[in-house]
């Protein structure tokens, strides 16, 4: 195990740790308890990452064998350009990894991955109250 931060595609073996991150992400945005996502949405989202016909992608940040963050992104067509665009939909890091460059590394990995497949436009949105992310 390395103390170096590694950004990589999610693997099927990551499910338990990814699920913890995913639940943390959803809780951050108020989707927990009575407002939690239906478990079928989570199962479907996870399955899409491994379906070669899906435009949805997932990467994780790992250090010393532990997942510290996730990023999900989607390639899609646009009515205002010929080449596809990339929408960075979800970005989350565990509390103790914030301010350590994990989120920035995940964002950069999305840009690098998109560029490698010929996509030049990457964009995302966050809640206006999430000033740390902005």
């Amino acid at each position: 195990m390395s103390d170096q931060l590694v950004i990589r595609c999610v693997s099927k073996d990551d499910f338990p740790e990814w699920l913890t991150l995913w639940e943390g992400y959803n809780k951050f945005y108020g989707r927990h308890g009575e407002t939690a996502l239906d478990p079928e949405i989570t199962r479907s989202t996870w399955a899409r990452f491994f379906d070669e016909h899906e435009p949805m992608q997932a990467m994780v940040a790992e250090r010393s064998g532990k997942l510290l963050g996730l990023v999900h992104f989607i390639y899609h067509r646009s009515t205002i350009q010929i080449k596809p665009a990339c929408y960075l939909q979800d970005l989350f890091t565990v509390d103790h990894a914030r301010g350590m460059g994990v989120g920035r590394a995940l964002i950069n990995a999305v840009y690098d991955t998109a560029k490698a497949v010929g996509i030049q436009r990457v964009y995302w949105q966050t809640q206006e109250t999430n000033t740390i992310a902005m």
Side-chain angles (χ1 to χ4, degrees):
M1 281 185 253
S2 171
D3 285 340
Q4 182 177 350
L5 183 66
V6 175
I7 307 299
R8 61 173 176 77
C9 292
V10 71
S11 75
K12 290 183 179 181
D13 292 338
D14 291 324
F15 182 75
E17 282 190 271
W18 171 87
L19 183 59
T20 298
L21 293 169
W22 178 239
E23 288 170 346
Y25 172 78
N26 283 299
K27 185 175 182 179
F28 181 84
Y29 283 105
R31 295 183 296 262
H32 63 98
E34 290 183 12
T35 60
L37 291 179
D38 184 312
E40 182 60 24
I41 294 171
T42 294
R43 284 191 295 275
S44 181
T45 296
W46 180 253
R48 288 174 177 164
F49 300 144
F50 303 100
D51 182 340
E52 65 184 48
H53 300 292
E54 281 285 343
M56 190 176 290
Q57 312 287 318
M59 298 177 88
V60 290
E62 179 180 35
R63 179 177 285 137
S64 301
K66 296 289 184 189
L67 297 189
L68 301 178
L70 62 74
V71 66
H72 304 149
F73 52 104
I74 303 167
Y75 300 143
H76 67 89
R77 298 185 188 276
S78 172
T79 60
I80 60 170
Q81 63 189 34
I82 293 176
K83 290 187 176 187
C86 177
Y87 175 54
L88 190 160
Q89 185 166 12
D90 309 315
L91 177 68
F92 181 75
T93 64
V94 293
D95 288 341
H96 70 271
R98 295 196 180 133
M100 299 171 62
V102 176
R104 174 56 55 196
L106 286 163
I107 291 168
N108 288 341
V110 171
Y111 273 91
D112 292 345
T113 302
K115 185 177 180 180
V117 297
I119 295 174
Q120 298 176 348
R121 181 170 185 257
V122 176
Y123 68 101
W124 70 91
Q125 302 172 28
T126 190
Q127 282 187 337
E128 59 193 28
T129 57
N130 192 354
T131 55
I132 293 172
M134 289 188 264

